[in-house]
Amino acid sequence: MTELTITALPPAPLNAAEIWSNPAQVSVRCQAALGFALPGMGQSAGSEALKLLRYEPTVWLAEGDVAPLAAVLAEDGAITAIGGGIVRVRIAGAGWRALLMQGGVFEAEAAAFAPGHCAATVIDHVAVRLFVENEDACLAYVPSSYAAALMHFWHDVLPLVGAD
């Protein structure tokens, strides 16, 4: 059997950063001000203070201190607090990829879905954002209204992936 843990993490500062104009210029400003460029689609970038995850063409999930990011965006975008509506769930252990395949439509076992990568998908009818922390763990960003039900679903299907 594989030891697999499903853990709801404490709340964290989460924001949606949207860019509606001049993304190349925003990326240059981001590099200059924060030390990293805006990540490409399905990628992440960041520092100890701020991590950006790009799930959509014009939207990045920002975890951490977004104060410096607001100046970077200027009039080319906006930041919206979403932390109250999201639960971060860490799925850790050798079977995390197989677990995410249950009730899902995303190929979580693909080699390209490596540490530092992220994806938006649907699992058990719930919109979920995934971030590969490392080879043995993935963060799932789940709407608060569905977090308990989705975690219950994952616990129920553990035997199907050889874990419990």
Side-chain angles (χ1 to χ4, degrees):
M1 290 290 177
T2 301
E3 178 70 28
L4 192 60
T5 60
I6 303 164
T7 309
L9 300 177
L14 296 174
N15 292 271
E18 298 180 69
I19 298 173
W20 49 71
S21 63
N22 302 315
Q25 291 175 359
V26 172
S27 190
V28 169
R29 292 193 305 258
C30 186
Q31 178 70 50
L34 303 175
F36 59 89
L38 292 173
M41 194 67 182
Q43 307 268 330
S44 67
S47 64
E48 287 289 321
L50 176 65
K51 177 173 50 180
L52 297 178
L53 310 170
R54 189 172 181 188
Y55 294 106
E56 299 175 35
T58 61
V59 181
W60 288 256
L61 175 68
E63 184 171 335
D65 180 11
V66 295
L69 185 60
V72 167
L73 294 177
E75 59 278 342
D76 293 318
I79 296 172
T80 305
I82 61 170
I86 304 290
V87 173
R88 298 174 312 133
V89 179
R90 177 173 287 120
I91 302 169
W96 71 263
R97 292 176 183 275
L99 181 67
L100 292 177
M101 299 290 292
Q102 301 299 312
V105 295
F106 177 71
E107 180 59 60
E109 294 176 330
F113 192 51
H117 286 79
C118 51
T121 190
V122 174
I123 299 174
D124 197 38
H125 308 289
V126 177
V128 177
R129 306 300 188 250
L130 303 172
F131 170 67
V132 183
E133 286 188 299
N134 58 56
E135 290 296 332
D136 293 320
C138 183
L139 282 183
Y141 297 87
V142 181
S144 297
S145 57
Y146 292 105
L150 188 55
M151 289 179 67
H152 180 78
F153 169 78
W154 281 329
H155 281 284
D156 281 352
V157 299
L158 282 175
L160 298 175
V161 298
D164 49 27

